[in-house]
């Protein structure tokens, strides 16, 4: 039979198992001082709410890197289990854009992980407030995509107005390639018959060796006494 002293310890262990583990995630680009500042903020937040961080994930990586290619996506997300909790300094730490942040939050929600955001003292869980916030973020992501698409269209319009080609480079058609040398067809065949090399033919008719070689191949013209 458990003693009176052992009972609280077992209850605490059972509660911890039900509550899951608490993780803290910090990310900065290069500034170590900012990393320390984020950590202090998380410590103060956790202390005020009687939360004990079980594991810290810290990384220095540019915010332009997709979340799936950081420790966040490769180390942290795969190990999170239902009822775990994640503390972050601010939502921007979770992604490089609103769309990216929303995608990470969706994964956390699917894993039933409670997210604490120090900046703004927000808690994202199954509550109605969290669902409202997710809806707002979803709208923000949609707006961001629309703005990016609009800026892209405006940029293309400006480039087109300036006479720049939009899209892939135009493919040079066979008839366009032929027209450059076809007017010299008789001269090319005559010189080739005399043994003038492809390189010298290209020099004479002011084109590159590959263009001349392709023209000769298409017209089945052979260089007399050409070494093969």
């Amino acid at each position: 039979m458990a003693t009176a002293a052992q009972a609280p310890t077992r209850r605490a262990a059972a509660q911890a198992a039900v509550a899951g583990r608490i993780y803290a995630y910090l990310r900065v680009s290069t500034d170590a001082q900012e990393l320390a500042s984020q950590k202090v903020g998380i410590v103060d937040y956790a202390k005020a709410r009687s939360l004990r961080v079980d594991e810290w994930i810290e990384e220095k990586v540019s915010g332009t890197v997709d979340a799936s290619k950081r420790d966040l996506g490769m180390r942290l997300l795969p190990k999170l289990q239902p009822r775990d909790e994640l503390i972050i300094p601010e939502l921007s730490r979770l992604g490089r854009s609103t769309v990216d942040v929303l995608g990470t939050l969706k994964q956390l929600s699917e894993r039933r992980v409670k997210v604490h955001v120090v900046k703004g003292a927000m808690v994202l869980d199954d509550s109605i407030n969290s669902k409202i916030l997710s809806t707002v973020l979803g709208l923000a992501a949609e707006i961001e995509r629309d703005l990016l698409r609009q800026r892209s269209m405006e940029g293309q319009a400006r480039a087109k107005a300036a006479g720049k080609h939009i899209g892939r480079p135009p493919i040079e058609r066979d008839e366009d390639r032929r027209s450059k040398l076809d007017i010299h067809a008789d001269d090319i065949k005559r010189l080739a018959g005399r043994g003038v090399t492809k390189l010298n033919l290209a020099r004479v008719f002011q084109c590159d060796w590959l263009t001349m070689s392709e023209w000769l191949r298409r017209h089945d013209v052979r260089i007399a006494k050409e070494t093969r």
Side-chain angles (χ1 to χ4, degrees), residues 19 94 210:
L94 293 180
L210 288 175

Side-chain angles (χ1 to χ4, degrees), residues 33 55 89 147 156 160 164 175-176 186-187 190 211:
Q33 184 175 0
E55 185 175 344
L147 288 174
Q156 291 179 2
K160 188 175 182 180
K164 297 180 180 179
E175 54 267 29
D176 294 333
D186 292 339
D187 292 329
R190 176 172 52 82
T211 299

Side-chain angles (χ1 to χ4, degrees), residues 22-220:
I22 298 179
Y23 297 84
Y25 173 74
L26 307 90
R27 178 192 63 77
V28 294
S29 297
T30 55
D31 193 349
Q33 184 175 0
E34 184 187 350
L35 190 66
S37 176
Q38 289 183 17
K39 192 165 187 176
V40 169
I42 289 178
V43 169
D44 290 342
Y45 177 94
K47 184 178 180 180
R49 290 158 180 78
S50 300
L51 300 173
R52 178 179 57 83
V53 176
D54 295 299
E55 185 175 344
W56 294 81
I57 305 292
E58 304 176 11
E59 62 178 333
K60 292 183 181 180
V61 62
S62 171
T64 60
V65 177
D66 191 270
S68 64
K69 298 178 181 178
R70 305 184 205 156
D71 283 347
L72 171 64
M74 295 186 292
R75 280 184 55 201
L76 180 56
L77 289 179
K79 69 170 63 177
L80 292 174
Q81 301 294 325
R83 295 187 298 278
D84 283 346
E85 299 183 45
L86 175 64
I87 307 177
I88 56 175
E90 54 188 77
L91 284 173
S92 63
R93 302 299 95 181
L94 293 180
R96 61 179 179 174
S97 66
T98 306
V99 177
D100 201 19
V101 169
L102 192 62
T104 304
L105 286 176
K106 184 175 183 293
Q107 292 184 59
L108 291 166
S109 176
E110 290 172 346
R111 292 174 180 270
R112 294 170 56 198
V113 175
K114 180 186 291 186
V115 181
H116 298 265
V117 186
V118 173
K119 185 176 181 179
M122 294 184 293
V123 178
L124 304 179
D125 50 22
D126 292 330
S127 67
I128 185 64
N129 288 337
S130 297
K131 293 177 181 178
I132 291 173
L133 178 59
S134 296
T135 300
V136 172
L137 286 172
L139 290 172
E142 184 176 347
I143 292 171
E144 181 177 335
R145 285 192 294 266
D146 289 343
L147 288 174
L148 286 172
R149 185 163 54 249
Q150 183 177 344
R151 285 196 290 269
S152 176
M153 292 174 62
E154 290 174 350
Q156 291 179 2
R158 286 193 297 270
K160 188 175 182 180
K164 297 180 180 179
H165 176 75
I166 305 299
R168 295 181 178 179
I171 298 174
E172 188 177 20
R173 297 172 299 177
D174 285 346
E175 54 267 29
D176 294 333
R177 292 198 301 268
R178 287 198 301 268
S179 65
K180 296 176 182 179
L181 295 174
D182 274 358
I183 57 176
H184 305 294
D186 292 339
D187 292 329
I188 294 173
K189 292 176 181 178
R190 176 172 52 82
L191 292 174
R194 293 180 180 179
V196 177
T197 65
K198 294 178 183 178
L199 180 60
N200 285 329
L201 285 173
R203 288 172 177 169
V204 170
F205 297 99
Q206 299 182 348
C207 66
D208 60 67
W209 183 90
L210 288 175
T211 299
M212 178 57 69
S213 181
E214 177 64 16
W215 189 94
L216 293 171
R217 184 193 65 78
R218 283 201 314 270
H219 292 80
D220 196 25

